[in-house]
């Protein structure tokens, strides 16, 4: 398993993004029983301007977002709530993920979350997208959110869908 990280925005050094990305990938692959594969993920660590351009180009939404994913192939489940097809060789490339610093930082502050924990959630989320998980259909969303919560709990990170109050 490898994560190739391209850091375009130096502020990502504040959260040691490379270490977080490796931990996130290992946790996802272990949870899904894929830890023995030679899987490859590419991660672009950018800013809001860059991710807004990518969001406009690929989704027709000219605004920043927290994370984007481009799976190398379609692996989505045919049935709402079903598990996606497991990746198969010979190509170990799962796809690309991009993450935007300003949006992540703002969301973490707004949600009362530690930045590294929020980033870890978004990395897990993005990698699950590469593996065919999605949240468009209701049961698919439930499955994906449940997996995210379990994976993060295994790493000692609180449920990202519970907003801190105080």
């Amino acid at each position: 398993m490898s994560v190739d990280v391209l850091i375009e925005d130096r502020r990502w050094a504040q959260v040691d993004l490379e270490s977080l990305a490796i931990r996130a990938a290992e946790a996802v692959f272990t949870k899904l029983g894929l830890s023995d594969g030679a899987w490859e993920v590419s991660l672009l660590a950018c800013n809001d301007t860059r991710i807004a351009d990518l969001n406009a180009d690929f989704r027709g939404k000219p605004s920043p977002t927290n994370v984007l994913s481009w799976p190398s192939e379609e692996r989505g489940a045919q049935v709402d709530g079903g598990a996606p097809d497991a990746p198969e060789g010979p190509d170990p490339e799962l796809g690309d993920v991009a993450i935007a610093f300003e949006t992540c930082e703002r969301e973490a502050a707004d949600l009362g979350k530690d930045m590294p924990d929020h980033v870890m959630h978004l990395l897990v989320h993005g990698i699950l997208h590469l593996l065919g998980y999605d949240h468009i259909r209701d049961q698919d969303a439930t499955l994906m959110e449940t997996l995210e919560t379990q994976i993060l709990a295994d790493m000692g990170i609180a449920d990202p869908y519970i907003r801190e109050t105080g």
Side-chain angles (χ1 to χ4, degrees):
M1 185 272 315
S2 70
V3 180
D4 181 27
V5 181
L6 173 60
I7 297 179
E8 286 187 349
D9 189 311
R10 293 181 187 176
R11 292 174 291 177
W12 281 111
Q14 298 171 22
V15 295
D16 191 12
L17 184 65
E18 291 186 54
S19 294
L20 293 178
I22 291 167
R23 279 187 62 214
E26 288 175 349
V28 169
F29 297 153
T30 297
K31 183 70 171 179
L32 298 176
L34 301 171
S35 57
D36 60 348
W39 309 114
E40 298 173 10
V41 173
S42 295
L43 174 64
L44 172 65
C46 60
N47 60 26
D48 275 4
T49 301
R50 175 84 150 116
I51 211 160
D53 289 343
L54 293 169
N55 205 18
D57 289 348
F58 291 96
R59 297 177 66 223
K61 298 180 179 185
S63 60
T65 189
N66 50 22
V67 67
L68 292 171
S69 300
W70 296 271
S72 60
E73 63 184 68
E74 177 57 44
R75 297 180 181 91
Q78 298 300 315
V79 177
D80 189 7
D85 295 333
E88 297 178 4
D91 184 7
E93 173 71 30
L94 294 177
D96 304 318
V97 175
I99 189 166
F101 188 85
E102 295 97 331
T103 296
C104 292
E105 184 178 55
R106 184 176 55 256
E107 288 175 347
D110 290 349
L111 296 168
K113 308 282 185 190
D114 289 334
M115 176 77 163
D117 288 353
H118 184 58
V119 169
M120 187 68 76
H121 172 221
L122 295 173
L123 292 171
V124 166
H125 183 90
I127 294 167
L128 285 173
H129 274 309
L130 298 183
L131 293 165
Y133 291 87
D134 210 339
H135 44 82
I136 295 172
R137 301 179 300 193
D138 289 343
Q139 292 178 44
D140 289 343
T142 298
L143 175 63
M144 186 172 184
E145 289 176 11
T146 299
L147 268 174
E148 289 172 22
T149 301
Q150 291 171 350
I151 291 165
L152 293 169
D154 290 346
M155 292 189 289
I157 298 173
D159 185 337
Y161 295 103
I162 296 176
R163 185 177 175 119
E164 298 294 321
T165 57

